[in-house]
Amino acid sequence: MRSALEVDRVFPRTPFVPADRGEVAERCETIFGLQAAGLKTRLAHTGSRHAVIGLSGGLDSTLALLVTVRAFDALGLPRSGIHAVSMPGFGTSDRTHQNALDLPRKLGMSTMDISIVPAVGQHLADIGHPLDRHDVTYENAQARERTQILLDLGNQIGGIAVGTGDLTEEALGWCTFGGDALAGYNVNVTVPKTAIRRIVAMLAEESTDAELTAIL
């Protein structure tokens, strides 16, 4: 009698990333192009000449920034209209924080560095939540504070808030209601994390700037 644990089919660990290296490059370029085209259309439709994007130093926000750069370049808009915002919190590492500052500088755009520690610390104190209790409240309060900053900055400059959350996070629930699930336009929402990793790697390989490649 067969065991219920027997599996007849072999499932790839990365179903959205082709095994063939040549096909991977083509797939990644297609996805990247579609992301940029979508944002370009949205910017043109709304008449927005500014965009605000939060950078964590991680994969998702890195790709979202690169997509935004391509969309602005395609529209002939100056990159100075892209407002990159680093918002270090309680768990932000020095390495990711520095990446979040270096990437937009290298790409020629303005950067803001806003610590959310004071605001979130005050909020947690207001609701009587201990700073050393690292639970869902502690995590979500930081995500919501970052989103509030981005949306308010977008209002201030008359720009669109570009979202960074990916399909994997949305599908598995690794996102914060009222936090990183909110944006004026999310360029990553239909792209799985495994594909995002490969797209960023492809863009790093294609870059002719050694410093940019190192950052990516």
Side-chain angles (χ1 to χ4, degrees), residues 43 49-51 68-79 81-82:
L43 289 167
R49 298 181 62 85
H50 294 272
T68 305
V69 167
R70 177 173 283 197
F72 266 64
D73 288 351
L75 287 168
L77 296 175
R79 292 184 181 182
I82 304 173

Side-chain angles (χ1 to χ4, degrees), residues 137-184:
T137 303
Y138 174 87
E139 296 292 342
N140 285 344
Q142 296 182 75
R144 292 187 178 114
E145 177 60 26
R146 289 186 173 106
T147 299
Q148 175 175 258
I149 289 172
L150 295 174
L151 293 178
D152 288 346
L153 281 174
N155 291 157
Q156 193 176 56
I157 64 176
I160 189 171
V162 177
T164 62
D166 64 60
L167 175 62
T168 304
E169 292 176 342
E170 296 282 354
L172 299 179
W174 290 104
C175 57
T176 299
F177 180 76
D180 45 2
L182 294 179

Side-chain angles (χ1 to χ4, degrees), residues 69-176:
V69 167
R70 177 173 283 197
F72 266 64
D73 288 351
L75 287 168
L77 296 175
R79 292 184 181 182
S80 58
I82 304 173
H83 304 262
V85 188
S86 170
M87 296 170 285
F90 296 114
T92 303
S93 70
D94 291 339
R95 183 181 65 84
T96 55
H97 185 208
Q98 194 59 52
N99 281 343
L101 296 174
D102 288 344
L103 182 60
R105 173 186 57 79
K106 188 63 185 174
L107 294 171
M109 62 196 65
S110 61
T111 307
M112 298 182 70
D113 192 21
I114 304 173
S115 172
I116 64 168
V117 171
V120 175
Q122 180 62 56
H123 170 65
L124 293 178
D126 289 343
I127 64 174
H129 191 89
L131 273 178
D132 59 357
R133 186 189 298 166
H134 298 174
D135 57 6
V136 67
T137 303
Y138 174 87
E139 296 292 342
N140 285 344
Q142 296 182 75
R144 292 187 178 114
E145 177 60 26
R146 289 186 173 106
T147 299
Q148 175 175 258
I149 289 172
L150 295 174
L151 293 178
D152 288 346
L153 281 174
N155 291 157
Q156 193 176 56
I157 64 176
I160 189 171
V162 177
T164 62
D166 64 60
L167 175 62
T168 304
E169 292 176 342
E170 296 282 354
L172 299 179
W174 290 104
C175 57
T176 299

